[in-house]
Amino acid sequence: MTRTRKLTIYLMRHGHCEGGELLRGRTDVPLSPAGLEQMWEAWRSISDDIDGARLTLLSSPLRRCTKFAQYIADDMGEFFEMPLQIAPWLAELNFGEWDGLPFAELEACHGDELMAFWQDPLDITPPAGEPVREFHQRVVTGWHSLHQRMLKSDKDTALLVTHGGVIRSLMSEVLCPDKLPAAGLFTAFDLPYGSIMKISVFASEIDGEWQCSGRLHWTF
């Protein structure tokens, strides 16, 4: 007999950060007060939606994510199954030598290279940066590993506190499994600070192996 499960996974992008308009990537900057409030507002929407479920809580290791994740883990433990888990696979893309530079400086000093990267991020990599193809594989591998861990337990709901690039990569995997993301998903899709994405994962156990498919929820 085939067993089925449904997992519900919320993705929260971090809020606005200190430091002005720059290419953050792995640059470890703190949230601004406005960014912290954006995340509290996002959390209120999620807590209203979960209907008493207890969540597995994972965060990127960068402090613009971990600070808020630790707040809710410490202050609202009744919502969570276990302590906060720091997940390196949820970290943002590493932009190498461009990481942390203000956009004005990037455009002035590397304008042509920057434009080429935005137009073709799959095949052009910033100097000493992380290739987008490798980034996507890192994120997708972590995503599938999370599914399997949840399916081996009785945990059905999770919250991932992460970054815009990671969320876009996961959206691509849900929409077009096992394919590289389209460049436009990184450049033409607005994903504001404090955004939330909800993904339902439908799993069927066939011959002892779980097969999963996902569905995006734009509003909830």
Coordinates of all heavy atoms in Angstrom, one line a residue, residues 95-151:
F95 N 29.4 36.3 -3.9 CA 29.8 37.1 -5.1 C 31.2 37.4 -5.2 O 31.7 38.2 -6.0 CB 29.0 38.4 -5.1 CG 27.5 38.2 -5.3 CD1 26.6 38.2 -4.2 CD2 27.0 38.1 -6.6 CE1 25.3 38.0 -4.4 CE2 25.6 37.9 -6.8 CZ 24.7 37.9 -5.7
G96 N 32.1 36.7 -4.5 CA 33.5 36.8 -4.6 C 34.0 38.2 -4.4 O 33.7 38.9 -3.4
E97 N 34.8 38.7 -5.3 CA 35.5 40.0 -5.2 C 34.4 41.2 -5.2 O 34.7 42.3 -4.8 CB 36.5 40.2 -6.3 CG 37.7 39.3 -6.2 CD 38.7 39.5 -7.3 OE1 38.5 40.4 -8.1 OE2 39.6 38.6 -7.5
W98 N 33.2 40.9 -5.7 CA 32.2 41.9 -5.7 C 31.4 42.0 -4.4 O 30.7 42.9 -4.2 CB 31.2 41.7 -6.9 CG 31.8 41.8 -8.3 CD1 33.1 42.2 -8.6 CD2 31.2 41.5 -9.5 NE1 33.2 42.2 -9.9 CE2 32.1 41.8 -10.5 CE3 29.9 41.0 -9.8 CZ2 31.8 41.6 -11.9 CZ3 29.6 40.8 -11.1 CH2 30.5 41.1 -12.2
D99 N 31.5 41.0 -3.6 CA 30.7 40.8 -2.4 C 31.0 42.0 -1.5 O 32.1 42.3 -1.1 CB 31.0 39.5 -1.7 CG 29.8 38.9 -1.1 OD1 29.2 39.6 -0.2 OD2 29.4 37.8 -1.5
G100 N 29.9 42.7 -1.1 CA 30.0 43.7 -0.1 C 30.3 45.1 -0.7 O 30.3 46.1 0.0
L101 N 30.4 45.2 -2.0 CA 30.7 46.5 -2.7 C 29.4 47.2 -2.9 O 28.4 46.6 -3.3 CB 31.4 46.3 -4.0 CG 32.8 45.7 -4.0 CD1 33.4 45.6 -5.4 CD2 33.7 46.6 -3.1
P102 N 29.4 48.6 -2.7 CA 28.2 49.3 -3.0 C 27.8 49.2 -4.5 O 28.7 49.1 -5.4 CB 28.6 50.8 -2.7 CG 29.7 50.6 -1.7 CD 30.4 49.4 -2.1
F103 N 26.5 49.2 -4.8 CA 26.1 49.1 -6.2 C 26.7 50.2 -7.1 O 27.0 50.1 -8.2 CB 24.6 49.0 -6.3 CG 24.0 47.7 -6.0 CD1 23.2 47.5 -4.9 CD2 24.3 46.6 -6.8 CE1 22.7 46.3 -4.6 CE2 23.8 45.3 -6.5 CZ 23.0 45.2 -5.3
A104 N 26.8 51.5 -6.5 CA 27.3 52.6 -7.2 C 28.7 52.3 -7.6 O 29.1 52.6 -8.8 CB 27.2 53.9 -6.4
E105 N 29.5 51.7 -6.7 CA 30.9 51.4 -7.1 C 31.0 50.3 -8.1 O 31.8 50.4 -9.0 CB 31.7 51.0 -5.8 CG 33.2 50.7 -6.0 CD 33.9 50.3 -4.8 OE1 33.4 50.6 -3.7 OE2 35.0 49.7 -4.9
L106 N 30.2 49.3 -8.0 CA 30.2 48.2 -8.9 C 29.8 48.7 -10.3 O 30.5 48.3 -11.3 CB 29.1 47.1 -8.5 CG 29.6 46.1 -7.4 CD1 28.4 45.4 -6.9 CD2 30.6 45.2 -8.0
E107 N 28.8 49.6 -10.4 CA 28.4 50.1 -11.7 C 29.5 51.0 -12.3 O 29.7 51.0 -13.5 CB 27.1 50.8 -11.6 CG 25.9 49.8 -11.3 CD 24.7 50.5 -10.8 OE1 24.7 51.8 -10.8 OE2 23.7 49.8 -10.6
A108 N 30.2 51.7 -11.5 CA 31.2 52.6 -12.0 C 32.5 51.9 -12.4 O 33.1 52.2 -13.4 CB 31.6 53.7 -10.9
C109 N 32.8 50.9 -11.6 CA 34.1 50.2 -11.9 C 34.0 48.9 -12.7 O 35.0 48.4 -13.3 CB 34.8 49.9 -10.6 SG 35.2 51.4 -9.6
H110 N 32.8 48.2 -12.6 CA 32.6 46.9 -13.3 C 31.3 46.9 -14.0 O 30.7 45.8 -14.1 CB 32.6 45.8 -12.2 CG 33.8 45.9 -11.3 ND1 35.1 45.4 -11.7 CD2 34.0 46.3 -10.0 CE1 35.9 45.5 -10.7 NE2 35.3 46.1 -9.7
G111 N 30.9 48.0 -14.6 CA 29.5 48.1 -15.2 C 29.3 47.1 -16.2 O 28.2 46.4 -16.2
D112 N 30.2 46.9 -17.2 CA 30.0 45.9 -18.3 C 29.9 44.5 -17.7 O 29.1 43.7 -18.1 CB 31.1 46.1 -19.3 CG 31.0 47.4 -20.1 OD1 29.9 48.0 -20.0 OD2 32.0 47.8 -20.7
E113 N 30.9 44.2 -16.8 CA 30.9 42.8 -16.3 C 29.6 42.5 -15.5 O 29.1 41.4 -15.5 CB 32.1 42.6 -15.4 CG 33.5 42.8 -16.2 CD 34.0 44.2 -16.0 OE1 33.2 45.1 -16.0 OE2 35.3 44.3 -15.8
L114 N 29.2 43.5 -14.7 CA 28.0 43.4 -13.9 C 26.8 43.1 -14.7 O 26.0 42.2 -14.5 CB 27.8 44.6 -13.0 CG 26.7 44.6 -12.0 CD1 26.9 43.5 -10.9 CD2 26.5 45.9 -11.3
M115 N 26.6 43.9 -15.8 CA 25.5 43.8 -16.7 C 25.5 42.4 -17.3 O 24.5 41.7 -17.5 CB 25.5 44.8 -17.8 CG 24.4 44.7 -18.8 SD 22.8 44.9 -18.0 CE 22.8 46.6 -17.5
A116 N 26.7 41.9 -17.7 CA 26.8 40.6 -18.4 C 26.4 39.5 -17.4 O 25.7 38.5 -17.8 CB 28.2 40.4 -18.8
F117 N 26.8 39.7 -16.1 CA 26.4 38.7 -15.1 C 24.9 38.6 -14.9 O 24.3 37.6 -14.9 CB 27.1 39.0 -13.8 CG 26.6 38.2 -12.6 CD1 26.8 36.8 -12.5 CD2 25.8 38.8 -11.6 CE1 26.3 36.1 -11.5 CE2 25.4 38.1 -10.5 CZ 25.6 36.7 -10.5
W118 N 24.2 39.8 -14.8 CA 22.8 39.8 -14.6 C 22.1 39.2 -15.8 O 21.0 38.6 -15.6 CB 22.3 41.2 -14.3 CG 22.7 41.9 -13.1 CD1 23.2 43.1 -12.9 CD2 22.7 41.3 -11.7 NE1 23.5 43.4 -11.6 CE2 23.2 42.3 -10.8 CE3 22.3 40.1 -11.2 CZ2 23.3 42.1 -9.5 CZ3 22.4 39.9 -9.8 CH2 22.9 40.8 -9.0
Q119 N 22.6 39.4 -17.0 CA 21.9 38.9 -18.2 C 22.1 37.4 -18.3 O 21.3 36.7 -18.9 CB 22.5 39.6 -19.4 CG 22.0 41.1 -19.5 CD 22.6 41.8 -20.7 OE1 23.6 41.4 -21.3 NE2 22.0 42.9 -21.0
D120 N 23.2 36.9 -17.8 CA 23.5 35.4 -18.0 C 24.2 34.9 -16.8 O 25.4 34.5 -16.8 CB 24.4 35.2 -19.2 CG 24.6 33.8 -19.6 OD1 23.9 32.9 -19.1 OD2 25.5 33.5 -20.4
P121 N 23.5 34.9 -15.6 CA 24.1 34.4 -14.4 C 24.5 33.0 -14.3 O 25.4 32.6 -13.5 CB 23.0 34.7 -13.3 CG 21.8 34.7 -14.1 CD 22.1 35.3 -15.4
L122 N 23.9 32.1 -15.2 CA 24.3 30.7 -15.2 C 25.7 30.5 -15.8 O 26.3 29.5 -15.4 CB 23.3 29.9 -15.9 CG 21.9 29.8 -15.3 CD1 20.9 29.0 -16.2 CD2 22.0 29.1 -13.9
D123 N 26.1 31.3 -16.7 CA 27.4 31.1 -17.4 C 28.4 32.1 -17.1 O 29.6 32.0 -17.6 CB 27.1 31.0 -18.9 CG 26.3 29.7 -19.2 OD1 26.6 28.6 -18.7 OD2 25.3 29.9 -20.0
I124 N 28.1 33.2 -16.4 CA 29.1 34.2 -16.0 C 29.2 34.3 -14.5 O 28.1 34.3 -13.8 CB 28.8 35.5 -16.7 CG1 28.8 35.4 -18.2 CG2 29.7 36.6 -16.1 CD1 28.4 36.7 -18.9
T125 N 30.4 34.2 -14.0 CA 30.6 34.2 -12.5 C 31.4 35.4 -12.1 O 32.4 35.7 -12.8 CB 31.3 32.9 -12.1 OG1 30.5 31.8 -12.5 CG2 31.5 32.9 -10.6
P126 N 31.0 36.2 -11.1 CA 31.9 37.2 -10.6 C 33.3 36.7 -10.2 O 33.4 35.5 -9.8 CB 31.1 37.7 -9.3 CG 29.7 37.4 -9.6 CD 29.8 36.1 -10.3
P127 N 34.3 37.6 -10.3 CA 35.7 37.1 -10.0 C 35.7 36.5 -8.6 O 35.3 37.1 -7.6 CB 36.5 38.4 -10.0 CG 35.7 39.3 -10.9 CD 34.3 39.0 -10.7
A128 N 36.3 35.2 -8.5 CA 36.4 34.4 -7.3 C 35.1 34.1 -6.6 O 35.0 33.8 -5.5 CB 37.4 35.1 -6.3
G129 N 34.0 34.3 -7.4 CA 32.7 34.0 -6.8 C 32.2 32.6 -6.9 O 32.9 31.7 -7.5
E130 N 31.1 32.3 -6.4 CA 30.4 31.0 -6.5 C 29.6 30.9 -7.7 O 28.7 31.7 -7.9 CB 29.5 30.8 -5.2 CG 28.8 29.4 -5.2 CD 27.9 29.3 -3.9 OE1 27.6 30.4 -3.3 OE2 27.6 28.2 -3.6
P131 N 29.9 29.9 -8.6 CA 29.1 29.8 -9.8 C 27.6 29.5 -9.5 O 27.3 28.8 -8.6 CB 29.7 28.6 -10.6 CG 31.1 28.6 -10.1 CD 31.0 29.0 -8.6
V132 N 26.7 30.2 -10.2 CA 25.3 30.0 -9.9 C 24.9 28.6 -10.1 O 24.0 28.1 -9.4 CB 24.4 31.0 -10.8 CG1 23.0 30.6 -10.7 CG2 24.7 32.4 -10.3
R133 N 25.4 27.9 -11.0 CA 25.1 26.4 -11.2 C 25.4 25.7 -9.9 O 24.7 24.8 -9.5 CB 25.9 25.8 -12.4 CG 25.4 26.4 -13.7 CD 26.4 26.0 -14.9 NE 26.0 26.6 -16.1 CZ 25.2 26.0 -17.1 NH1 24.8 24.7 -16.8 NH2 24.9 26.6 -18.2
E134 N 26.6 25.9 -9.3 CA 27.0 25.2 -8.1 C 26.1 25.7 -6.9 O 25.7 24.9 -6.1 CB 28.4 25.5 -7.8 CG 29.4 24.9 -8.8 CD 30.8 25.1 -8.5 OE1 31.2 25.6 -7.4 OE2 31.7 24.9 -9.4
F135 N 25.8 27.0 -6.9 CA 24.9 27.5 -5.9 C 23.5 26.8 -5.9 O 23.0 26.3 -4.9 CB 24.7 29.0 -6.1 CG 23.6 29.6 -5.3 CD1 23.6 29.9 -4.0 CD2 22.4 30.0 -6.0 CE1 22.6 30.5 -3.3 CE2 21.4 30.6 -5.4 CZ 21.5 30.8 -4.0
H136 N 23.0 26.7 -7.1 CA 21.7 26.0 -7.3 C 21.7 24.6 -6.8 O 20.8 24.1 -6.1 CB 21.2 26.1 -8.7 CG 19.9 25.5 -9.0 ND1 18.7 26.1 -8.5 CD2 19.5 24.4 -9.7 CE1 17.7 25.3 -8.8 NE2 18.1 24.3 -9.6
Q137 N 22.8 23.9 -7.2 CA 22.9 22.5 -6.8 C 23.1 22.4 -5.3 O 22.5 21.5 -4.6 CB 24.1 21.8 -7.4 CG 24.3 20.3 -7.2 CD 23.0 19.6 -7.6 OE1 22.6 19.7 -8.8 NE2 22.4 18.8 -6.7
R138 N 23.8 23.3 -4.6 CA 23.9 23.3 -3.2 C 22.5 23.4 -2.5 O 22.2 22.7 -1.6 CB 24.8 24.4 -2.7 CG 24.7 24.6 -1.3 CD 25.4 25.8 -0.6 NE 25.7 27.0 -1.3 CZ 25.1 28.1 -1.0 NH1 24.1 28.2 -0.1 NH2 25.5 29.2 -1.5
V139 N 21.8 24.4 -3.0 CA 20.5 24.7 -2.4 C 19.5 23.5 -2.6 O 18.8 23.1 -1.7 CB 19.9 26.0 -3.0 CG1 18.4 26.2 -2.6 CG2 20.7 27.2 -2.6
V140 N 19.5 23.0 -3.8 CA 18.6 21.9 -4.2 C 18.9 20.6 -3.4 O 18.0 19.9 -2.9 CB 18.6 21.6 -5.7 CG1 17.8 20.3 -6.0 CG2 17.9 22.8 -6.4
T141 N 20.2 20.3 -3.2 CA 20.6 19.2 -2.4 C 20.2 19.3 -1.0 O 19.6 18.4 -0.4 CB 22.2 19.0 -2.5 OG1 22.6 18.8 -3.9 CG2 22.6 17.8 -1.6
G142 N 20.3 20.5 -0.4 CA 19.9 20.7 1.0 C 18.3 20.6 1.1 O 17.8 20.1 2.1
W143 N 17.6 21.1 0.1 CA 16.2 21.0 0.1 C 15.7 19.6 0.1 O 14.8 19.2 0.9 CB 15.7 21.8 -1.2 CG 14.3 21.8 -1.5 CD1 13.7 21.2 -2.6 CD2 13.2 22.5 -0.8 NE1 12.3 21.5 -2.6 CE2 12.0 22.3 -1.5 CE3 13.2 23.2 0.3 CZ2 10.8 22.8 -1.1 CZ3 12.0 23.8 0.8 CH2 10.8 23.5 0.0
H144 N 16.2 18.8 -0.8 CA 15.8 17.4 -0.8 C 16.2 16.6 0.4 O 15.5 15.7 0.9 CB 16.4 16.7 -2.1 CG 15.8 17.2 -3.4 ND1 14.5 17.4 -3.5 CD2 16.4 17.5 -4.5 CE1 14.2 17.9 -4.8 NE2 15.4 17.9 -5.4
S145 N 17.4 17.0 1.0 CA 17.8 16.3 2.2 C 16.8 16.7 3.4 O 16.5 15.8 4.2 CB 19.2 16.8 2.6 OG 19.6 16.2 3.8
L146 N 16.3 17.9 3.4 CA 15.4 18.3 4.4 C 14.1 17.5 4.3 O 13.5 17.0 5.3 CB 15.0 19.8 4.2 CG 13.9 20.4 5.1 CD1 14.2 20.2 6.6 CD2 13.6 21.8 4.7
H147 N 13.6 17.3 3.0 CA 12.4 16.5 2.8 C 12.6 15.1 3.4 O 11.7 14.6 4.1 CB 12.1 16.3 1.3 CG 11.8 17.6 0.6 ND1 11.7 17.6 -0.8 CD2 11.5 18.8 1.0 CE1 11.4 18.8 -1.2 NE2 11.3 19.6 -0.1
Q148 N 13.7 14.5 3.1 CA 13.9 13.1 3.6 C 14.0 13.1 5.1 O 13.4 12.1 5.7 CB 15.2 12.5 3.0 CG 15.1 12.4 1.4 CD 13.9 11.6 1.0 OE1 13.6 10.5 1.6 NE2 13.2 12.0 0.0
R149 N 14.6 14.0 5.8 CA 14.7 14.1 7.2 C 13.3 14.2 7.8 O 13.0 13.5 8.8 CB 15.6 15.2 7.7 CG 17.1 15.0 7.4 CD 18.0 15.8 8.3 NE 17.6 17.2 8.3 CZ 18.0 18.1 7.4 NH1 18.8 17.7 6.4 NH2 17.7 19.4 7.5
M150 N 12.5 15.1 7.2 CA 11.1 15.3 7.7 C 10.3 14.1 7.5 O 9.5 13.7 8.4 CB 10.5 16.5 7.1 CG 11.2 17.8 7.5 SD 10.5 19.3 6.6 CE 8.9 19.4 7.4
L151 N 10.4 13.4 6.4 CA 9.6 12.2 6.1 C 10.0 11.0 7.0 O 9.2 10.1 7.2 CB 9.8 11.9 4.6 CG 9.1 12.9 3.7 CD1 9.5 12.6 2.2 CD2 7.6 12.8 3.8

